[in-house]
Every structure is written in structure tokens, then in C-alpha cells.
């Protein structure tokens, strides 16, 4: 079993190091000083579960790796459409792409029985650009419940969580999911194979769709948003609207808004990924996290006034990122 991690950033390098520790033949695709450090000294992981070093092969040229059985996609979703030249050398006829992305994936309606089966979500797959690069039959969903950060080149700080839920778009328990799950578990991670991965998608999205844009607009941490009366009320409305949209497309995640808000407050002074990207003047991952939710609201005629208002303002903000 050969695995390539395309986008060996904080999450990707951590997963790659864990897979290597478990005995998988894994190759990291990275760049810059981070790549240089990995080549020289491997990936060093600092974790409350125990520090370790993984001497994983690493390159910035996927052609040096060649075809693999699995590609763990650690890129931000807004770069999927342009990743063709990077991923093509890694593919053979049955290569599986495990996409560890936030928000609504490009494959969302693939294999989902019901009135929207096979429908393309334009916000995340405009004109089918992502599907052309990442064919639907290759996709396995992955929802990340893990927090890591790059503390320095080749140095990954694991903060909390080891769960990577995976699942087939059609809800089956496939051999490829079971094989990948076993490799992750051998490396010390949790990797349950879910028959309804969309449930996990909406549970995580319930927080991301609200906290990420609000954090970027207010330059605020999770605990600041949860404790401020006005933003807490706004997040509550956004979460309630998100749950209604999920129900309209046939998903009913069993989680309360109050529990989600209280959990966010306990996280403390944590900056969301969108706020971190904003501070680094990087493109905001807005399409899959919020624009897609608004698109599904329109598709299902579900009222979403708060989501739409916050999306409009954050979308304007996103046009100013990278223009300074």
C-alpha cells in the first residue's frame, strides 16, 4: 500500500508521519523550507500523546513518487481545481483520493439517493472544474477532528484530537475505506469508517459556517465570539439556519446549538483557520464553508437571512485579501 500526502502542511505532515510510524509506505509532497527540513531531519511531531520523528520521503515533484494507491489530500479546498499537475502523476486506474477538507465537498450529491442525486454545487465545483481534476469515483470523504500547527520547518505541534472520520459518498463500507482506516489506526490515529459521512460533515460545518466568517470579520477568537452577547446571538441564528438547510437535503445531525456554542467557548483563545488565513493574507476558504451552504439554502428554498448577510460581508472582505 503506497500513500502520497499532497499538501503536507500541519495536518498533512502529521498524518504522513503517523502513517509512516504505522509501517505504511508514505511520501510527502511539500515545498520550501518545510520540505528542506523534512528531507534533512524527517517530520518531528510534538504531541501530548508523545513526541516522535518520522523519516518520511519528501519531494516537491509528484513525478518522483509516481502512482500510489491513496492520495491524502491536505490542500485547502479552494486549490483543488488547480491541483491537476500535482495530482496526475500520483494516479493509477484505481487510486483513491481521501479529501480532508472543511465544508461541503465537491462530491456531496454523488451517490446520494433523492431529488438532488448527481447535482453539482457550483460554489465548490464551478463548471465542473474540480470534478475534472478529481473524478467522483475516486473520492472518499474525510472529516478532520484534529488540531495541529506548523511550529517551524519540519516541526508539527499536535494540539488535540486524533480522529479522521472517513466514508464513501454512497454510504457503503468499502474495502478501500477499511484498508486506509487500518493504516491510520496502525499509526496511532482514530479513523472510523462511517456509513453516513455527511452527518459528520454537517456537525463540523455547524461550527465552521458560523465561527469562521465571524472570526475573520471581528478578528476574534472562539471564546471572544462565544462570550460576546451580539456575536453569540448571531452564531446561534447561523447554526439554526444551517441545521434547517441540512434537514432540507436529508441530513439530521444529532447535536444541539447550545452544546456547540458551549464547546466553542471551552476551546478558548483559538483562532479559526479563516482568521489565520486572513492574518497571513491568504485566500479565504469561503466557498465550501459558507457560499455552498447559502447555495443549498436557495436550492431547497430554505430561509437563511443571517447566513446570507454574513456571507455577503465576508465575500467582500475576501476580495481584498492578497491585494495589499
Amino acid at each position: 500500500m503506497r500513500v502520497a500526502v499532497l499538501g503536507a502542511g500541519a495536518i498533512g505532515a502529521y498524518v504522513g508521519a503517523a502513517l509512516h510510524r504505522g509501517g505504511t509506505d508514505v511520501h510527502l509532497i511539500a515545498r520550501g523550507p518545510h520540505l528542506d527540513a523534512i528531507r534533512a531531519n524527517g517530520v518531528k511531531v510534538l504531541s501530548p500523546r508523545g513526541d516522535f520523528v518520522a523519516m518520511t520521503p519528501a519531494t516537491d515533484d509528484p513525478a518522483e513518487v509516481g502512482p500510489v494507491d491513496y492520495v491524502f489530500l491536505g490542500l485547502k479546498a479552494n486549490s483543488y481545481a488547480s491541483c491537476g499537475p500535482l495530482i496526475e502523476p500520483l494516479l493509477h486506474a484505481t487510486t483513491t483520493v481521501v479529501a480532508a477538507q472543511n465544508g461541503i465537498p465537491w462530491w456531496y450529491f454523488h451517490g446520494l439517493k433523492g431529488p438532488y442525486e448527481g447535482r453539482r454545487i457550483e460554489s465548490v465545483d464551478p463548471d465542473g472544474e474540480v470534478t475534472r481534476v478529481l473524478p467522483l469515483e475516486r473520492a472518499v470523504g474525510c472529516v478532520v477532528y484534529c488540531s495541529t500547527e506548523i511550529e517551524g520547518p519540519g516541526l508539527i505541534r499536535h494540539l488535540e484530537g486524533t480522529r479522521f472520520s472517513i466514508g464513501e459518498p454512497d454510504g457503503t463500507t468499502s474495502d478501500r475505506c477499511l484498508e486506509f482506516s487500518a493504516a491510520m489506526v496502525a499509526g496511532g490515529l482514530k479513523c472510523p469508517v462511517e456509513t453516513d459521512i455527511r452527518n459528520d460533515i454537517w456537525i463540523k460545518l455547524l461550527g465552521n459556517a458560523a465561527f469562521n466568517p465571524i472570526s475573520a470579520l471581528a478578528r476574534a477568537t472562539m471564546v471572544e465570539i462565544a462570550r460576546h452577547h451580539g456575536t453569540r446571538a448571531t452564531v446561534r441564528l447561523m447554526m439554526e439556519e444551517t441545521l434547517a438547510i441540512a434537514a432540507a437535503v436529508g441530513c439530521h445531525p444529532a447535536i444541539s446549538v447550545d452544546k456547540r456554542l458551549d464547546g466553542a467557548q471551552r476551546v478558548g483563545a483559538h483562532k479559526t483557520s479563516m482568521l489565520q488565513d486572513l492574518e497571513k493574507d491568504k485566500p479565504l476558504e469561503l466557498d465550501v464553508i459558507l457560499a455552498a451552504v447559502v447555495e443549498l439554502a436557495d436550492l431547497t428554498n430554505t430561509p437563511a437571512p443571517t447566513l446570507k448577510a454574513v456571507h455577503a460581508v465576508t465575500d467582500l472582505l475576501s476580495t481584498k485579501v492578497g491585494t495589499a
Side-chain angles (χ1 to χ4, degrees), residues 18-318:
L19 287 170
H20 182 272
R21 180 174 60 173
T24 295
D25 178 12
V26 60
H27 301 258
L28 306 185
I29 315 296
R31 61 185 180 181
H34 188 52
L35 170 61
D36 295 338
I38 294 171
R39 280 174 163 165
N41 303 304
V43 178
K44 184 173 183 180
V45 175
L46 306 178
S47 171
R49 297 167 56 86
D51 302 344
F52 67 98
V53 176
M55 298 301 297
T56 53
T59 180
D60 58 0
D61 183 4
E64 293 182 1
V65 178
V68 297
D69 302 305
Y70 296 87
V71 175
F72 182 88
L73 203 55
L75 303 172
K76 289 290 183 72
N78 50 20
S79 64
Y80 282 6
S82 61
C83 77
L86 292 174
I87 200 168
E88 286 171 5
L90 303 172
L91 304 179
H92 59 57
T94 60
T95 299
T96 296
V97 176
V98 181
Q101 71 162 94
N102 287 322
I104 299 292
W106 82 102
W107 53 260
Y108 188 86
F109 286 121
H110 175 58
L112 181 64
K113 300 299 181 185
Y116 307 114
E117 182 176 6
R119 187 181 183 94
R120 186 175 70 244
I121 303 174
E122 285 294 324
S123 300
V124 300
D125 189 14
D127 297 322
E129 291 178 357
V130 175
T131 297
R132 282 192 287 275
V133 174
L134 304 172
L136 295 171
E137 64 273 10
R138 294 189 184 276
V140 161
C142 178
V143 179
V144 178
Y145 298 93
C146 173
S147 178
T148 59
E149 60 186 21
I150 298 179
E151 196 161 286
L155 182 60
I156 304 299
R157 173 73 65 177
H158 171 230
L159 302 172
E160 62 177 356
T162 60
R163 180 180 162 198
F164 295 78
S165 297
I166 63 173
E168 292 283 355
D170 65 1
T172 58
T173 302
S174 65
D175 289 341
R176 63 180 184 174
C177 280
L178 293 172
E179 181 182 44
F180 187 79
S181 172
M184 294 279 275
V185 171
L189 304 178
K190 297 177 182 177
C191 190
V193 178
E194 304 288 354
T195 55
D196 186 6
I197 192 65
R198 291 173 182 84
N199 185 68
D200 286 68
I201 287 171
W202 283 104
I203 287 175
K204 187 170 184 183
L205 186 57
L206 189 65
N208 283 348
F211 279 101
N212 278 37
I214 294 295
S215 72
L217 293 170
R219 310 300 203 276
T221 64
M222 299 278 279
V223 68
E224 289 172 333
I225 296 168
R227 285 179 175 171
H228 184 272
H229 175 75
T231 53
R232 186 182 180 94
T234 301
V235 166
R236 175 182 294 279
L237 288 171
M238 294 175 75
M239 288 185 173
E240 290 171 349
E241 291 172 9
T242 299
L243 286 175
I245 296 163
V249 293
C251 193
H252 302 273
I255 187 169
S256 74
V257 169
D258 285 327
K259 183 177 180 180
R260 198 68 179 83
L261 280 165
D262 292 342
Q265 184 166 325
R266 286 194 299 271
V267 168
H270 171 71
K271 294 181 179 181
T272 70
S273 59
M274 191 172 289
L275 176 55
Q276 291 179 50
D277 285 342
L278 179 66
E279 290 179 340
K280 295 174 183 176
D281 207 30
K282 291 183 177 181
L284 305 185
E285 204 174 19
L286 188 62
D287 291 342
V288 295
I289 287 177
L290 190 51
V293 180
V294 169
E295 183 176 338
L296 293 180
D298 289 338
L299 175 66
T300 57
N301 295 313
T302 305
T306 316
L307 287 168
K308 289 182 177 181
V310 172
H311 173 250
V313 180
T314 317
D315 189 48
L316 175 58
L317 173 65
S318 73

